[in-house]
Amino acid sequence: MRQKKDLTGSEKSKIVRYLAEGCSSLKIVKLLKRDHRTIKRFIQNSQQGRKKRVEKPRRKITAHELRKVKRAAAKMPLATSLAIFQSCNITGVPKSTRCAILRDMAKVRKAERRPPLNKTHKLKRQDWAKKYLKTDFSKVLWTDEMRVSLNGPDGWARGWIGKGQRAPVRLRRQQGGGGVLVWAGIIKDELVGPFRVEDGVELNSQSYCQFLEDTFFKQWYRKKSASFKKNMIFMQDNAPSHASKYSTAWLARKGIKEEKLMTWPPCSPDLNPIENLWSIIKCEIYKEGKQYTSLNSVWEAVVAAACNVDGEQIKTLTESMDGRLLSVLAEKGGYIGR
């Protein structure tokens, strides 16, 4: 009988099944019509099993060195394992050991994209929460701007690609291919806008006030009743174009002044419920890693996504303010989860 070099996968499976049924190697040779040496060699190799990998012992780290590593990791949260160990003057430790030691005391996480809060910021956030704790937030108009790009966020362009399939090609353009600046507001269960800032316009105090005049005041605010205007509180963040003397004086001439213009604490995007609306809209327009080829197409997508946001979703966001204020006080002015 001719001897072949290798057994096929199906033949190996059959040999295992025949052995489980109690067949002898001689009987298996007759059933498969293969050389007895090939069958015998496969059976012997299977019985021997794979050799276990001998793991090299880790370099022993003393308790004192561990404390130094822990302090260094706390001071250098975004440093590599090598940089952390080098700062402690600990050498000769392989990468696998360094990472294993760090995993016992830390966890790899992305850096938070939030402005850092100092003591003054936290105190102002607490003062703001105390000031507006008894406010009827159904009468507050929460406003903000959002920029959307043609490319969309890079981190969202991931998905499940089948075996043997090529990943789809994703366009890469400078500055995300350009983008559109969008302004909107929410009050109670109503969405105001969205309104598009004209392409190429940089929002300074003058252009911001002119934009509000052409969109917010002419298209929405003028249609409201006198009692609504009397009770409405206008909220905007502390962007330079918002908080300047020019913008404040201009809004005062429009009747939005003193208690009708909400003061805003520094570094507080987590307290503005419209930020959650932006997240809802971005998830919709960039779902499945979608990209756009023109500014008009991405603007149309924003409008369509905004139309799909119902009043109940907006009401949930505006009604969350009481809980946010309590959370700020509980965190002693620190950031809250949104």
Side-chain angles (χ1 to χ4, degrees):
M1 187 176 295
R2 186 171 60 89
Q3 181 182 6
K4 295 180 180 179
K5 289 185 177 180
D6 298 317
L7 291 166
T8 64
S10 61
E11 287 175 331
K12 292 178 181 178
S13 300
K14 288 179 181 179
I15 293 172
V16 173
R17 188 173 70 250
Y18 291 149
L19 289 173
E21 293 173 356
C23 297
S24 64
S25 58
L26 184 60
K27 187 175 181 180
I28 295 173
V29 168
K30 292 180 179 179
L31 290 171
L32 297 181
K33 298 180 180 180
R34 294 296 302 263
D35 185 82
H36 69 93
R37 290 168 295 181
T38 304
I39 301 295
K40 188 176 181 181
R41 183 168 58 249
F42 172 75
I43 295 174
Q44 288 177 344
N45 292 338
S46 301
Q47 290 174 347
Q48 288 177 358
R50 294 181 63 184
K51 293 182 179 180
K52 291 186 178 180
R53 180 183 175 183
V54 178
E55 294 187 0
K56 296 180 180 179
R58 287 189 193 176
R59 177 197 184 283
K60 290 186 178 180
I61 305 295
T62 65
H64 176 64
E65 289 176 328
L66 281 177
R67 288 194 294 271
K68 289 174 65 177
V69 169
K70 191 171 184 179
R71 285 195 296 268
K75 291 180 181 179
M76 309 160 59
L78 298 181
T80 62
S81 63
L82 179 60
I84 291 172
F85 275 72
Q86 285 179 342
S87 68
C88 302
N89 295 322
I90 302 174
T91 58
V93 183
K95 182 179 179 180
S96 58
T97 303
R98 295 196 305 265
C99 293
I101 291 171
L102 288 171
R103 274 195 295 269
D104 292 337
M105 63 180 68
K107 185 179 180 181
V108 177
R109 295 175 61 186
K110 287 185 178 180
E112 293 186 359
R113 295 183 179 181
R114 290 175 170 178
L117 291 177
N118 57 35
K119 187 176 180 180
T120 303
H121 295 156
K122 292 180 180 180
L123 289 174
K124 288 185 177 181
R125 283 164 60 92
Q126 291 182 78
D127 292 341
W128 178 85
K130 292 174 183 177
K131 178 180 178 179
Y132 290 102
L133 197 56
K134 296 182 179 180
T135 302
D136 182 1
F137 289 111
S138 65
K139 298 177 181 178
V140 177
L141 175 67
W142 308 93
T143 71
D144 194 21
E145 294 95 6
M146 168 188 68
R147 180 171 291 278
V148 289
S149 65
L150 300 183
N151 287 356
D154 290 336
W156 294 6
R158 297 182 180 183
W160 297 99
I161 310 299
K163 293 181 178 179
Q165 295 182 344
R166 294 186 63 183
V169 177
R170 185 168 176 83
L171 298 175
R172 293 185 64 86
R173 294 167 284 199
Q174 289 187 352
Q175 304 297 323
V180 174
L181 187 62
V182 182
W183 183 96
I186 55 175
I187 181 170
K188 198 175 180 179
D189 59 354
E190 184 178 358
L191 173 62
V192 182
F195 299 117
R196 178 179 178 177
V197 178
E198 188 177 345
D199 298 339
V201 173
E202 183 178 351
L203 281 187
N204 52 32
S205 300
Q206 290 79 11
S207 59
Y208 173 66
C209 293
Q210 187 61 50
F211 171 79
L212 290 181
E213 176 66 33
D214 296 338
T215 55
F216 168 68
F217 282 101
K218 285 185 178 179
Q219 300 182 37
W220 187 82
Y221 189 71
R222 286 183 181 178
K223 300 176 184 178
K224 296 299 179 180
S225 63
S227 60
F228 177 88
K229 295 177 182 178
K230 182 180 178 180
N231 296 320
M232 190 198 79
I233 301 173
F234 188 84
M235 173 271 155
Q236 59 183 1
D237 61 23
N238 294 321
S241 59
H242 300 173
S244 67
K245 292 181 180 179
Y246 180 93
S247 299
T248 303
W250 185 87
L251 287 172
R253 292 195 296 271
K254 292 288 185 180
I256 299 177
K257 57 184 176 179
E258 298 174 353
E259 295 301 320
K260 289 175 60 62
L261 181 61
M262 177 178 281
T263 57
W264 193 247
C267 305
S268 299
D270 56 324
L271 300 181
N272 192 351
I274 201 173
E275 295 287 350
N276 300 86
L277 175 69
W278 295 144
S279 297
I280 293 171
I281 291 176
K282 284 186 176 181
C283 286
E284 179 64 24
I285 67 175
Y286 294 125
K287 64 182 180 182
E288 299 178 4
K290 185 173 177 60
Q291 292 182 297
Y292 298 88
T293 55
S294 68
L295 298 180
N296 287 333
S297 62
V298 72
W299 166 244
E300 291 170 1
V302 170
V303 174
C307 291
N308 291 332
V309 179
D310 57 39
E312 285 300 317
Q313 286 178 289
I314 297 173
K315 189 176 181 181
T316 300
L317 297 179
T318 56
E319 288 182 347
S320 69
M321 288 309 302
D322 292 317
R324 296 186 194 220
L325 266 64
L326 293 174
S327 297
V328 169
L329 295 174
E331 295 293 332
K332 297 181 179 180
Y335 280 123
I336 63 173
R338 286 186 285 167

